[in-house]
């Protein structure tokens, strides 16, 4: 009996350590993505010194709000991975609805920030930023979602 309790405790500790490692890896990946995204925007959006000062201040605010949405997405992915293999129809429905809600939140955030970016950049430069933002986000989403097994595959 004591052996079973020790083994159970050891497995629980190992699961906890694995979760910590996974969380740490996800955080490092997200930090790298933020850095790469900022670098890609800087390389592809030609700004004057005056525009750059104003733009990057607004971008940091926008990025922080985007990060909040990405926190939710990360939590959904983590929940999916924890439940994968035992996922019920109701759980799958809830997860995809919440995922779609994050898409709506991201679109609303872009709509909210469009006039703010437009106040600090000329129209073509603001449009270019949003094109870059969408392209980079789409590439990240494609890379991320291609690594997630399909829900039906668990049957």
């Amino acid at each position: 009996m004591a052996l079973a309790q020790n083994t159970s405790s050891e497995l629980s500790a190992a699961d906890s350590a694995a979760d910590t490692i996974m969380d740490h890896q996800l955080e490092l990946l997200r930090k790298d993505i933020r850095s790469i995204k900022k670098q890609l925007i800087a390389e592809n959006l030609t700004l004057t010194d005056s525009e750059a000062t104003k733009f990057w201040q607004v971008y940091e605010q926008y990025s922080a709000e985007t990060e909040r949405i990405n926190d939710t997405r990360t939590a959904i992915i983590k929940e999916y991975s924890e439940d994968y293999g035992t996922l019920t129809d109701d759980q799958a429905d809830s997860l995809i609805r919440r995922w779609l809600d994050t898409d709506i939140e991201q679109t609303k955030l872009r709509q909210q920030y469009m006039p703010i970016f437009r106040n600090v950049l000329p129209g073509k430069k603001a449009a270019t930023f949003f094109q870059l933002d969408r392209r980079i986000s789409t590439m990240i989403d494609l890379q991320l979602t291609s690594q997630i097994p399909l829900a039906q595959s668990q049957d």
Side-chain angles (χ1 to χ4, degrees):
M1 184 74 145
L3 179 60
Q5 286 176 340
N6 285 344
T7 303
S8 177
S9 296
E10 289 169 5
L11 289 175
S12 180
D15 286 345
S16 178
D19 286 346
T20 301
I21 291 168
M22 184 176 148
D23 289 345
H24 182 68
Q25 288 172 330
L26 278 173
E27 186 54 40
L28 288 175
L29 175 64
R30 290 175 66 192
K31 186 176 180 181
D32 287 346
I33 288 170
R34 284 190 304 267
S35 175
I36 291 167
K37 185 175 180 179
K38 192 171 182 177
Q39 181 181 355
L40 285 170
I41 290 168
E43 289 173 1
N44 291 284
L45 185 62
T46 306
L47 301 172
T48 66
D49 289 344
S50 174
E51 289 169 343
T53 301
K54 295 173 189 171
F55 170 80
W56 290 113
Q57 288 175 347
V58 173
Y59 177 82
E60 290 302 324
Q61 295 168 354
Y62 173 78
S63 184
E65 292 192 47
T66 297
E67 193 61 28
R68 181 186 51 77
I69 294 167
N70 289 336
D71 287 345
T72 301
R73 286 182 178 159
T74 300
I76 291 168
I77 291 168
K78 187 173 179 182
E79 181 180 340
Y80 179 76
S81 70
E82 290 169 354
D83 293 339
Y84 188 78
T86 61
L87 196 64
T88 67
D89 286 338
D90 288 341
Q91 287 172 310
D93 186 59
S94 172
L95 287 166
I96 198 63
R97 286 179 188 277
R98 288 184 284 144
W99 183 270
L100 292 171
D101 286 345
T102 65
D103 290 343
I104 292 167
E105 285 182 57
Q106 186 64 50
T107 298
K108 286 181 179 178
L109 184 66
R110 285 185 177 117
Q111 288 175 323
Q112 174 190 344
Y113 268 85
M114 201 288 288
I116 298 169
F117 278 108
R118 183 58 182 90
N119 283 336
V120 299
L121 294 178
K124 288 181 185 177
K125 289 183 181 184
T128 299
F129 163 72
F130 280 104
Q131 287 176 309
L132 291 166
D133 183 59
R134 290 280 299 183
R135 284 182 184 181
I136 295 165
S137 295
T138 299
M139 288 187 297
I140 292 167
D141 283 347
L142 178 61
Q143 183 66 31
L144 177 64
T145 58
S146 70
Q147 302 300 313
I148 300 171
L150 298 174
Q152 193 174 0
S153 299
Q154 73 173 343
D155 291 337

